[in-house]
Amino acid sequence: MNAPRPTDAHPYLRAATAGLRHHARAHTLHGAPADRLHLDTLHAHLTAAHQLLDQLTDSTRPPHPAAGRHLVAAHLRLWQATAAVHDAFHTVPADDGEGSAAEECRPERLPEGPLVLTICQRHLAASHAIRRKTTPTDLNTPLQGHTTTCGQ
């Protein structure tokens, strides 16, 4: 059996990246502010990327500790971005004008959107997963001491 060519590696991840690039270009043309549906979808993408990064970190850290440390830092920062998108969701008014910065995250109360998994339920599940491996201090610490071999 032949090894996959580099261009064939991770086709779904490449397709998701291409989809994000396409969306970013299309959004630049329209320039409309993000609505709750947009933020919910972006949050779903970020939590999926967070889960993938978590798995990659776990499998990379033992054989390559230095790379694993960089992935742990990325894992933390991606979680911070995911949490910020979740917070933004609650500050954007709903289509019916409801919702404000004071709105609480209440997973038991289903906000508009797919009934299968709302943003609050998804965020709660993801937060349980990250808290099993990360301390609150780590989650709130800014990125410091991060070095790379790339020139800037």
PDB file of all heavy atoms in Angstrom, residues 53-84:
ATOM      1  N   LEU A  53      -6.804  19.768  18.571  1.00  0.00           N
ATOM      2  CA  LEU A  53      -5.528  20.201  19.136  1.00  0.00           C
ATOM      3  C   LEU A  53      -5.235  19.471  20.445  1.00  0.00           C
ATOM      4  O   LEU A  53      -4.093  19.102  20.720  1.00  0.00           O
ATOM      5  CB  LEU A  53      -5.532  21.713  19.344  1.00  0.00           C
ATOM      6  CG  LEU A  53      -4.204  22.353  19.720  1.00  0.00           C
ATOM      7  CD1 LEU A  53      -3.120  22.027  18.710  1.00  0.00           C
ATOM      8  CD2 LEU A  53      -4.373  23.851  19.825  1.00  0.00           C
ATOM      9  N   ASP A  54      -6.253  19.210  21.229  1.00  0.00           N
ATOM     10  CA  ASP A  54      -6.100  18.458  22.472  1.00  0.00           C
ATOM     11  C   ASP A  54      -5.565  17.056  22.181  1.00  0.00           C
ATOM     12  O   ASP A  54      -4.631  16.583  22.826  1.00  0.00           O
ATOM     13  CB  ASP A  54      -7.444  18.396  23.193  1.00  0.00           C
ATOM     14  CG  ASP A  54      -7.356  17.743  24.555  1.00  0.00           C
ATOM     15  OD1 ASP A  54      -6.385  18.013  25.290  1.00  0.00           O
ATOM     16  OD2 ASP A  54      -8.276  16.969  24.903  1.00  0.00           O
ATOM     17  N   GLN A  55      -6.146  16.399  21.187  1.00  0.00           N
ATOM     18  CA  GLN A  55      -5.702  15.059  20.820  1.00  0.00           C
ATOM     19  C   GLN A  55      -4.278  15.075  20.267  1.00  0.00           C
ATOM     20  O   GLN A  55      -3.462  14.205  20.596  1.00  0.00           O
ATOM     21  CB  GLN A  55      -6.661  14.454  19.804  1.00  0.00           C
ATOM     22  CG  GLN A  55      -8.028  14.166  20.369  1.00  0.00           C
ATOM     23  CD  GLN A  55      -9.046  13.831  19.294  1.00  0.00           C
ATOM     24  OE1 GLN A  55      -8.771  13.907  18.104  1.00  0.00           O
ATOM     25  NE2 GLN A  55     -10.249  13.472  19.717  1.00  0.00           N
ATOM     26  N   LEU A  56      -3.968  16.062  19.428  1.00  0.00           N
ATOM     27  CA  LEU A  56      -2.613  16.169  18.888  1.00  0.00           C
ATOM     28  C   LEU A  56      -1.590  16.434  19.988  1.00  0.00           C
ATOM     29  O   LEU A  56      -0.487  15.894  19.971  1.00  0.00           O
ATOM     30  CB  LEU A  56      -2.540  17.278  17.834  1.00  0.00           C
ATOM     31  CG  LEU A  56      -3.256  17.002  16.523  1.00  0.00           C
ATOM     32  CD1 LEU A  56      -3.289  18.256  15.658  1.00  0.00           C
ATOM     33  CD2 LEU A  56      -2.597  15.854  15.791  1.00  0.00           C
ATOM     34  N   THR A  57      -1.967  17.257  20.958  1.00  0.00           N
ATOM     35  CA  THR A  57      -1.069  17.556  22.071  1.00  0.00           C
ATOM     36  C   THR A  57      -0.769  16.295  22.868  1.00  0.00           C
ATOM     37  O   THR A  57       0.388  16.014  23.185  1.00  0.00           O
ATOM     38  CB  THR A  57      -1.698  18.628  22.989  1.00  0.00           C
ATOM     39  OG1 THR A  57      -1.932  19.807  22.213  1.00  0.00           O
ATOM     40  CG2 THR A  57      -0.792  18.970  24.152  1.00  0.00           C
ATOM     41  N   ASP A  58      -1.805  15.528  23.169  1.00  0.00           N
ATOM     42  CA  ASP A  58      -1.617  14.297  23.941  1.00  0.00           C
ATOM     43  C   ASP A  58      -0.713  13.300  23.232  1.00  0.00           C
ATOM     44  O   ASP A  58       0.093  12.629  23.874  1.00  0.00           O
ATOM     45  CB  ASP A  58      -2.971  13.637  24.237  1.00  0.00           C
ATOM     46  CG  ASP A  58      -3.771  14.383  25.282  1.00  0.00           C
ATOM     47  OD1 ASP A  58      -3.207  15.261  25.973  1.00  0.00           O
ATOM     48  OD2 ASP A  58      -4.979  14.087  25.403  1.00  0.00           O
ATOM     49  N   SER A  59      -0.832  13.208  21.932  1.00  0.00           N
ATOM     50  CA  SER A  59      -0.014  12.226  21.201  1.00  0.00           C
ATOM     51  C   SER A  59       1.378  12.753  20.851  1.00  0.00           C
ATOM     52  O   SER A  59       2.289  11.966  20.628  1.00  0.00           O
ATOM     53  CB  SER A  59      -0.735  11.772  19.934  1.00  0.00           C
ATOM     54  OG  SER A  59      -0.925  12.862  19.052  1.00  0.00           O
ATOM     55  N   THR A  60       1.563  14.067  20.834  1.00  0.00           N
ATOM     56  CA  THR A  60       2.855  14.642  20.456  1.00  0.00           C
ATOM     57  C   THR A  60       3.770  14.831  21.655  1.00  0.00           C
ATOM     58  O   THR A  60       4.979  14.688  21.547  1.00  0.00           O
ATOM     59  CB  THR A  60       2.652  16.000  19.744  1.00  0.00           C
ATOM     60  OG1 THR A  60       1.833  15.791  18.607  1.00  0.00           O
ATOM     61  CG2 THR A  60       3.972  16.606  19.310  1.00  0.00           C
ATOM     62  N   ARG A  61       3.199  15.140  22.796  1.00  0.00           N
ATOM     63  CA  ARG A  61       4.002  15.491  23.966  1.00  0.00           C
ATOM     64  C   ARG A  61       4.997  14.407  24.381  1.00  0.00           C
ATOM     65  O   ARG A  61       6.155  14.730  24.628  1.00  0.00           O
ATOM     66  CB  ARG A  61       3.099  15.851  25.132  1.00  0.00           C
ATOM     67  CG  ARG A  61       3.836  16.602  26.197  1.00  0.00           C
ATOM     68  CD  ARG A  61       2.978  17.031  27.339  1.00  0.00           C
ATOM     69  NE  ARG A  61       1.616  17.307  26.979  1.00  0.00           N
ATOM     70  CZ  ARG A  61       0.677  17.650  27.809  1.00  0.00           C
ATOM     71  NH1 ARG A  61       0.954  17.766  29.079  1.00  0.00           N
ATOM     72  NH2 ARG A  61      -0.549  17.885  27.408  1.00  0.00           N
ATOM     73  N   PRO A  62       4.612  13.121  24.474  1.00  0.00           N
ATOM     74  CA  PRO A  62       5.618  12.148  24.932  1.00  0.00           C
ATOM     75  C   PRO A  62       6.834  12.017  24.004  1.00  0.00           C
ATOM     76  O   PRO A  62       7.963  12.117  24.475  1.00  0.00           O
ATOM     77  CB  PRO A  62       4.841  10.841  25.033  1.00  0.00           C
ATOM     78  CG  PRO A  62       3.414  11.255  25.201  1.00  0.00           C
ATOM     79  CD  PRO A  62       3.281  12.532  24.411  1.00  0.00           C
ATOM     80  N   PRO A  63       6.649  11.851  22.690  1.00  0.00           N
ATOM     81  CA  PRO A  63       7.850  11.683  21.862  1.00  0.00           C
ATOM     82  C   PRO A  63       8.583  12.998  21.566  1.00  0.00           C
ATOM     83  O   PRO A  63       9.780  12.981  21.283  1.00  0.00           O
ATOM     84  CB  PRO A  63       7.327  11.048  20.572  1.00  0.00           C
ATOM     85  CG  PRO A  63       5.903  11.444  20.491  1.00  0.00           C
ATOM     86  CD  PRO A  63       5.430  11.604  21.900  1.00  0.00           C
ATOM     87  N   HIS A  64       7.891  14.117  21.624  1.00  0.00           N
ATOM     88  CA  HIS A  64       8.492  15.410  21.287  1.00  0.00           C
ATOM     89  C   HIS A  64       8.086  16.456  22.336  1.00  0.00           C
ATOM     90  O   HIS A  64       7.186  17.276  22.090  1.00  0.00           O
ATOM     91  CB  HIS A  64       8.045  15.879  19.897  1.00  0.00           C
ATOM     92  CG  HIS A  64       8.264  14.867  18.825  1.00  0.00           C
ATOM     93  ND1 HIS A  64       9.515  14.513  18.378  1.00  0.00           N
ATOM     94  CD2 HIS A  64       7.383  14.116  18.115  1.00  0.00           C
ATOM     95  CE1 HIS A  64       9.405  13.592  17.436  1.00  0.00           C
ATOM     96  NE2 HIS A  64       8.116  13.323  17.257  1.00  0.00           N
ATOM     97  N   PRO A  65       8.742  16.460  23.500  1.00  0.00           N
ATOM     98  CA  PRO A  65       8.318  17.338  24.591  1.00  0.00           C
ATOM     99  C   PRO A  65       8.322  18.827  24.239  1.00  0.00           C
ATOM    100  O   PRO A  65       7.404  19.557  24.639  1.00  0.00           O
ATOM    101  CB  PRO A  65       9.317  17.049  25.714  1.00  0.00           C
ATOM    102  CG  PRO A  65       9.972  15.772  25.359  1.00  0.00           C
ATOM    103  CD  PRO A  65       9.857  15.609  23.883  1.00  0.00           C
ATOM    104  N   ALA A  66       9.296  19.291  23.499  1.00  0.00           N
ATOM    105  CA  ALA A  66       9.347  20.722  23.156  1.00  0.00           C
ATOM    106  C   ALA A  66       8.159  21.097  22.272  1.00  0.00           C
ATOM    107  O   ALA A  66       7.502  22.109  22.495  1.00  0.00           O
ATOM    108  CB  ALA A  66      10.659  21.059  22.464  1.00  0.00           C
ATOM    109  N   ALA A  67       7.872  20.290  21.272  1.00  0.00           N
ATOM    110  CA  ALA A  67       6.708  20.546  20.415  1.00  0.00           C
ATOM    111  C   ALA A  67       5.431  20.443  21.234  1.00  0.00           C
ATOM    112  O   ALA A  67       4.492  21.232  21.041  1.00  0.00           O
ATOM    113  CB  ALA A  67       6.680  19.558  19.253  1.00  0.00           C
ATOM    114  N   GLY A  68       5.386  19.503  22.169  1.00  0.00           N
ATOM    115  CA  GLY A  68       4.222  19.357  23.027  1.00  0.00           C
ATOM    116  C   GLY A  68       3.957  20.602  23.855  1.00  0.00           C
ATOM    117  O   GLY A  68       2.809  21.000  24.029  1.00  0.00           O
ATOM    118  N   ARG A  69       5.014  21.248  24.353  1.00  0.00           N
ATOM    119  CA  ARG A  69       4.844  22.486  25.124  1.00  0.00           C
ATOM    120  C   ARG A  69       4.243  23.590  24.256  1.00  0.00           C
ATOM    121  O   ARG A  69       3.396  24.353  24.708  1.00  0.00           O
ATOM    122  CB  ARG A  69       6.168  22.929  25.735  1.00  0.00           C
ATOM    123  CG  ARG A  69       6.578  22.088  26.936  1.00  0.00           C
ATOM    124  CD  ARG A  69       7.754  22.692  27.677  1.00  0.00           C
ATOM    125  NE  ARG A  69       8.961  22.792  26.878  1.00  0.00           N
ATOM    126  CZ  ARG A  69       9.852  21.815  26.709  1.00  0.00           C
ATOM    127  NH1 ARG A  69       9.659  20.642  27.299  1.00  0.00           N
ATOM    128  NH2 ARG A  69      10.922  21.997  25.979  1.00  0.00           N
ATOM    129  N   HIS A  70       4.683  23.678  23.016  1.00  0.00           N
ATOM    130  CA  HIS A  70       4.111  24.678  22.105  1.00  0.00           C
ATOM    131  C   HIS A  70       2.633  24.376  21.830  1.00  0.00           C
ATOM    132  O   HIS A  70       1.804  25.286  21.771  1.00  0.00           O
ATOM    133  CB  HIS A  70       4.885  24.731  20.789  1.00  0.00           C
ATOM    134  CG  HIS A  70       6.223  25.350  20.906  1.00  0.00           C
ATOM    135  ND1 HIS A  70       6.409  26.693  21.135  1.00  0.00           N
ATOM    136  CD2 HIS A  70       7.461  24.808  20.837  1.00  0.00           C
ATOM    137  CE1 HIS A  70       7.697  26.964  21.188  1.00  0.00           C
ATOM    138  NE2 HIS A  70       8.364  25.827  21.017  1.00  0.00           N
ATOM    139  N   LEU A  71       2.304  23.104  21.675  1.00  0.00           N
ATOM    140  CA  LEU A  71       0.911  22.738  21.440  1.00  0.00           C
ATOM    141  C   LEU A  71       0.045  22.993  22.672  1.00  0.00           C
ATOM    142  O   LEU A  71      -1.114  23.377  22.542  1.00  0.00           O
ATOM    143  CB  LEU A  71       0.805  21.276  20.999  1.00  0.00           C
ATOM    144  CG  LEU A  71       1.371  20.975  19.610  1.00  0.00           C
ATOM    145  CD1 LEU A  71       1.309  19.481  19.318  1.00  0.00           C
ATOM    146  CD2 LEU A  71       0.650  21.770  18.537  1.00  0.00           C
ATOM    147  N   VAL A  72       0.614  22.806  23.859  1.00  0.00           N
ATOM    148  CA  VAL A  72      -0.128  23.127  25.085  1.00  0.00           C
ATOM    149  C   VAL A  72      -0.443  24.621  25.112  1.00  0.00           C
ATOM    150  O   VAL A  72      -1.559  25.029  25.444  1.00  0.00           O
ATOM    151  CB  VAL A  72       0.668  22.700  26.345  1.00  0.00           C
ATOM    152  CG1 VAL A  72       0.098  23.337  27.608  1.00  0.00           C
ATOM    153  CG2 VAL A  72       0.682  21.186  26.471  1.00  0.00           C
ATOM    154  N   ALA A  73       0.537  25.455  24.747  1.00  0.00           N
ATOM    155  CA  ALA A  73       0.299  26.907  24.701  1.00  0.00           C
ATOM    156  C   ALA A  73      -0.790  27.236  23.683  1.00  0.00           C
ATOM    157  O   ALA A  73      -1.685  28.043  23.953  1.00  0.00           O
ATOM    158  CB  ALA A  73       1.591  27.646  24.364  1.00  0.00           C
ATOM    159  N   ALA A  74      -0.748  26.608  22.513  1.00  0.00           N
ATOM    160  CA  ALA A  74      -1.771  26.842  21.493  1.00  0.00           C
ATOM    161  C   ALA A  74      -3.142  26.375  21.992  1.00  0.00           C
ATOM    162  O   ALA A  74      -4.155  27.038  21.755  1.00  0.00           O
ATOM    163  CB  ALA A  74      -1.406  26.114  20.203  1.00  0.00           C
ATOM    164  N   HIS A  75      -3.175  25.265  22.675  1.00  0.00           N
ATOM    165  CA  HIS A  75      -4.398  24.712  23.246  1.00  0.00           C
ATOM    166  C   HIS A  75      -5.034  25.719  24.197  1.00  0.00           C
ATOM    167  O   HIS A  75      -6.244  25.976  24.134  1.00  0.00           O
ATOM    168  CB  HIS A  75      -4.024  23.411  23.964  1.00  0.00           C
ATOM    169  CG  HIS A  75      -5.152  22.651  24.528  1.00  0.00           C
ATOM    170  ND1 HIS A  75      -5.406  22.590  25.871  1.00  0.00           N
ATOM    171  CD2 HIS A  75      -6.110  21.903  23.925  1.00  0.00           C
ATOM    172  CE1 HIS A  75      -6.461  21.825  26.081  1.00  0.00           C
ATOM    173  NE2 HIS A  75      -6.903  21.397  24.921  1.00  0.00           N
ATOM    174  N   LEU A  76      -4.225  26.310  25.059  1.00  0.00           N
ATOM    175  CA  LEU A  76      -4.729  27.315  26.004  1.00  0.00           C
ATOM    176  C   LEU A  76      -5.251  28.552  25.275  1.00  0.00           C
ATOM    177  O   LEU A  76      -6.324  29.062  25.597  1.00  0.00           O
ATOM    178  CB  LEU A  76      -3.630  27.729  26.973  1.00  0.00           C
ATOM    179  CG  LEU A  76      -3.236  26.694  28.013  1.00  0.00           C
ATOM    180  CD1 LEU A  76      -1.983  27.144  28.759  1.00  0.00           C
ATOM    181  CD2 LEU A  76      -4.378  26.438  28.968  1.00  0.00           C
ATOM    182  N   ARG A  77      -4.495  29.041  24.301  1.00  0.00           N
ATOM    183  CA  ARG A  77      -4.908  30.255  23.590  1.00  0.00           C
ATOM    184  C   ARG A  77      -6.168  30.014  22.767  1.00  0.00           C
ATOM    185  O   ARG A  77      -7.032  30.881  22.659  1.00  0.00           O
ATOM    186  CB  ARG A  77      -3.793  30.787  22.690  1.00  0.00           C
ATOM    187  CG  ARG A  77      -2.520  31.154  23.404  1.00  0.00           C
ATOM    188  CD  ARG A  77      -2.741  32.019  24.659  1.00  0.00           C
ATOM    189  NE  ARG A  77      -1.580  31.948  25.521  1.00  0.00           N
ATOM    190  CZ  ARG A  77      -1.598  31.451  26.757  1.00  0.00           C
ATOM    191  NH1 ARG A  77      -2.708  31.006  27.287  1.00  0.00           N
ATOM    192  NH2 ARG A  77      -0.508  31.408  27.472  1.00  0.00           N
ATOM    193  N   LEU A  78      -6.275  28.835  22.182  1.00  0.00           N
ATOM    194  CA  LEU A  78      -7.484  28.525  21.418  1.00  0.00           C
ATOM    195  C   LEU A  78      -8.692  28.466  22.346  1.00  0.00           C
ATOM    196  O   LEU A  78      -9.786  28.915  21.981  1.00  0.00           O
ATOM    197  CB  LEU A  78      -7.323  27.212  20.646  1.00  0.00           C
ATOM    198  CG  LEU A  78      -8.467  26.849  19.715  1.00  0.00           C
ATOM    199  CD1 LEU A  78      -8.747  27.956  18.707  1.00  0.00           C
ATOM    200  CD2 LEU A  78      -8.161  25.547  18.993  1.00  0.00           C
ATOM    201  N   TRP A  79      -8.506  27.952  23.547  1.00  0.00           N
ATOM    202  CA  TRP A  79      -9.612  27.948  24.498  1.00  0.00           C
ATOM    203  C   TRP A  79     -10.006  29.377  24.848  1.00  0.00           C
ATOM    204  O   TRP A  79     -11.193  29.697  24.956  1.00  0.00           O
ATOM    205  CB  TRP A  79      -9.273  27.179  25.770  1.00  0.00           C
ATOM    206  CG  TRP A  79     -10.362  27.345  26.768  1.00  0.00           C
ATOM    207  CD1 TRP A  79     -10.340  28.075  27.915  1.00  0.00           C
ATOM    208  CD2 TRP A  79     -11.700  26.845  26.647  1.00  0.00           C
ATOM    209  NE1 TRP A  79     -11.561  28.039  28.527  1.00  0.00           N
ATOM    210  CE2 TRP A  79     -12.419  27.289  27.771  1.00  0.00           C
ATOM    211  CE3 TRP A  79     -12.348  26.058  25.704  1.00  0.00           C
ATOM    212  CZ2 TRP A  79     -13.755  26.982  27.973  1.00  0.00           C
ATOM    213  CZ3 TRP A  79     -13.685  25.750  25.914  1.00  0.00           C
ATOM    214  CH2 TRP A  79     -14.372  26.212  27.030  1.00  0.00           C
ATOM    215  N   GLN A  80      -9.035  30.250  25.044  1.00  0.00           N
ATOM    216  CA  GLN A  80      -9.338  31.642  25.355  1.00  0.00           C
ATOM    217  C   GLN A  80     -10.131  32.291  24.219  1.00  0.00           C
ATOM    218  O   GLN A  80     -11.074  33.042  24.455  1.00  0.00           O
ATOM    219  CB  GLN A  80      -8.063  32.422  25.669  1.00  0.00           C
ATOM    220  CG  GLN A  80      -7.445  31.998  26.984  1.00  0.00           C
ATOM    221  CD  GLN A  80      -6.065  32.597  27.216  1.00  0.00           C
ATOM    222  OE1 GLN A  80      -5.373  33.000  26.277  1.00  0.00           O
ATOM    223  NE2 GLN A  80      -5.665  32.648  28.478  1.00  0.00           N
ATOM    224  N   ALA A  81      -9.764  31.986  22.985  1.00  0.00           N
ATOM    225  CA  ALA A  81     -10.515  32.515  21.834  1.00  0.00           C
ATOM    226  C   ALA A  81     -11.931  31.949  21.808  1.00  0.00           C
ATOM    227  O   ALA A  81     -12.905  32.671  21.552  1.00  0.00           O
ATOM    228  CB  ALA A  81      -9.782  32.174  20.535  1.00  0.00           C
ATOM    229  N   THR A  82     -12.067  30.671  22.107  1.00  0.00           N
ATOM    230  CA  THR A  82     -13.384  30.038  22.133  1.00  0.00           C
ATOM    231  C   THR A  82     -14.266  30.679  23.201  1.00  0.00           C
ATOM    232  O   THR A  82     -15.447  30.968  22.961  1.00  0.00           O
ATOM    233  CB  THR A  82     -13.231  28.524  22.391  1.00  0.00           C
ATOM    234  OG1 THR A  82     -12.389  27.974  21.375  1.00  0.00           O
ATOM    235  CG2 THR A  82     -14.563  27.815  22.375  1.00  0.00           C
ATOM    236  N   ALA A  83     -13.700  30.923  24.374  1.00  0.00           N
ATOM    237  CA  ALA A  83     -14.453  31.553  25.461  1.00  0.00           C
ATOM    238  C   ALA A  83     -14.859  32.977  25.079  1.00  0.00           C
ATOM    239  O   ALA A  83     -15.971  33.416  25.397  1.00  0.00           O
ATOM    240  CB  ALA A  83     -13.631  31.549  26.741  1.00  0.00           C
ATOM    241  N   ALA A  84     -13.981  33.699  24.392  1.00  0.00           N
ATOM    242  CA  ALA A  84     -14.307  35.064  23.972  1.00  0.00           C
ATOM    243  C   ALA A  84     -15.444  35.071  22.956  1.00  0.00           C
ATOM    244  O   ALA A  84     -16.327  35.946  23.003  1.00  0.00           O
ATOM    245  CB  ALA A  84     -13.066  35.747  23.401  1.00  0.00           C
TER     246      ALA A  84
END
